[in-house]
Amino acid sequence: MDRVNDPYSAPDELGHFGEYGGRFVAETLIHALEELNELYESIKSDQAFWAAFDEDLTNYVGRPSPLYYAQRLTEHVSGAQIFLKREDLNHTGAHKINNTVGQALLASRMGKQRIIAETGAGQHGVATATVAARLGVECTVYMGADDIVRQAPNVYRMKMLGTHVESVSSGSRTLKDAMNEAMRDWVTNVDTTHYIIGSVAGPHPYPAMVRDFQAVIGRECRAQCEERFGGLPEALIACVGGGSNAMGLFYPFVNDLKVELIGVEAAGKGLSTDEHAASLCEGKPGVLHGSRTYLLADDDGLIKETSSISAGLDYPGVGPEHSYWKDLQRAQYVAVTDEQAIEAFHLLNRLEGILPALESSHAIAYALIEAAKRPSSDRIVINLSGRGDKDIGTMAEIDGIQI
Amino acid sequence: MSRLTGCFAQLQEQGKKAFVSFITAGDPEPSVTVPALHSLVEGGVDILELGVPFSDPEADGPSIQRSSERALQQGVTLSMVLDMVSDFRKSNEHTPIVLMGYLNSILSMGESTFFERASQCGVDGLIMVNLPPEESSGLSIHAEANEIDLIYLVAPTTPDKRIKLIVENVQGFIYYVSLKGITGASHLDTASVEEQVSVLKSHAKLPIVVGFGIKTPEQAAASASLADGIVVGSELVDTMATTQSNELIPERLQAKAQSFRDALDG
């Protein structure tokens, strides 16, 4: 099976998705990106590589993840049928591990003895620390100082895995600053170090490569839908911070124009305020972290500080392919507030006994609105990208409970 | 002849090395910048690099990051930086000025507006840290039309075949990044610089300037002997940051610059 190429062929060889993407980095990193790209191109048709990847996904990650019919949630909405793609059941609790398993295989082919990563919610950090432990290589994860506080369980988990968690206290002390610091580390240690970017963001080839590793979500989902109801769903809904879980689910459906693709961004305290992280809904094209994409920036091009209850969505940029799809209108992008996400978090807990990550709760919140507008013959798949154990502290604090 | 070309020609005639300084515009406050630039020239600087502060300076070390933060706290914008250059030009027509920064500042102003204004204000060159030649076609048209040199970096990791690409595109001078790392890092190895600069020389027709990690007059002299000039940045930025009162900054900068100039000429 050709995993990567379909009639839809973006990006071009320089990593451009239309006018987005590309490789906007310091010269010191260009050679490493070229080397990584050569390797990535060479593994596209390498059966042995994909066999090893599949082996890890099956026996280490625990794939395939189930497609679960959320009957009580569906009844609650009384509209379209709602299915959940259960990425929360993966090893380490989120979709992030799909990508880190793939990049770990690449790192080991390159003979890199050190791995670095950035993390927001800590899920990518944990997934990276996990594969680093398994490879037996040194690992440093950069994390914003504010995120370290709000995602303490994941920080401790990374430390137990033998990873050094480096607190980043510059700028807004969140994901974007962690990524700046990871890029600085990579520039300095480029010979020995592989940088595992956790989203479909960054310079070429990361957006395409991470997409291709995450696309296992959508491929499985297609097969599961065919098996379950003999066709494709009418709509797919996923949250978008950098956009890797959304891209992973959407990409295998990109040529199925009847399948609506809906990305849900973090509206924080509301899109009319300055406290949100909805780059696609409210931003404009610019250049950050290696690629041209929609960004939240002020009139002088300075990157704005974002706000979301969900650390994983608290990012002022977005993967360039999402920017491309927005302009092409292949996907639509909407946003829900912290309050809506919290409500969805509780609802899924109470109705289905599933504790979703606050990130994924954004997708659920919008799916409730979307499902209510649709007939019961429609089927919607939500990417339940991660589990919410890490968010218990945040939720308890909101409820004024000391745990 | 552009100011940059003229400057290097004159230095060559005098048998001198180019001393390039870097400070961040608006650090620690906007009124300091123009007097600081004049004092650097007084202290023997040949070419002035002026940093455009940016919220996410991903290739810069702590010194320049903090200088950028200080300037942004003062509300410094690209437009204000251009005004500073214009102000400087009122009493200095000859010293080349190169702006250094990140692409999003220019994209936000709009390429055509930026280059027209920059040219009017007396900017001579532009270094965009996160703009490799492959992505530069949008900018180079405007740069050329407004006679502003686009200066590219060559890194220790740049393979030979890319050196050729960069050399074909670069204008003004070639900025050789002397170490794998961010600005102000402290592991400068002049032996490896020597080897790589000699490779670069075999391709390049333009002057080569070495920067990143040069902190002492001794390092400056050693690096300059391998190339056509050197850049001192973080050390000057730190000098400004550790000066108690803003009024004393020009005087201290001039003395600092003079120590590098003396070593280069020594």
Side-chain angles (χ1 to χ4, degrees), chain A residues 191-268:
Chain A
D191 292 340
T192 58
T193 300
H194 176 60
Y195 178 16
I196 303 191
I197 291 182
S199 195
V200 287
H204 181 61
Y206 284 99
M209 185 175 75
V210 175
R211 173 197 72 193
D212 293 340
F213 290 139
Q214 290 294 359
V216 64
I217 304 170
R219 282 196 306 274
E220 278 178 13
C221 182
R222 274 187 82 97
Q224 289 164 326
C225 288
E226 294 279 4
E227 195 188 315
R228 183 73 67 94
F229 43 81
L232 298 180
E234 277 67 31
L236 303 174
I237 298 180
C239 64
V240 176
S244 70
N245 89 80
M247 191 50 70
L249 177 65
F250 296 172
Y251 180 60
F253 294 86
V254 65
N255 294 310
D256 304 301
L257 299 180
K258 285 187 174 160
V259 180
E260 285 183 46
L261 310 176
I262 304 171
V264 186
E265 297 192 298

Side-chain angles (χ1 to χ4, degrees), chain A residues 23 27-28 180 184 191 303, chain B residues 55-57 135 157 162 180:
Chain A
R23 196 178 269 162
E27 176 61 29
T28 311
N180 289 335
R184 291 179 189 122
D191 292 340
I303 308 306
Chain B
S55 53
D56 294 75
E135 301 284 2
T157 52
R162 257 189 82 73
K180 290 172 205 153

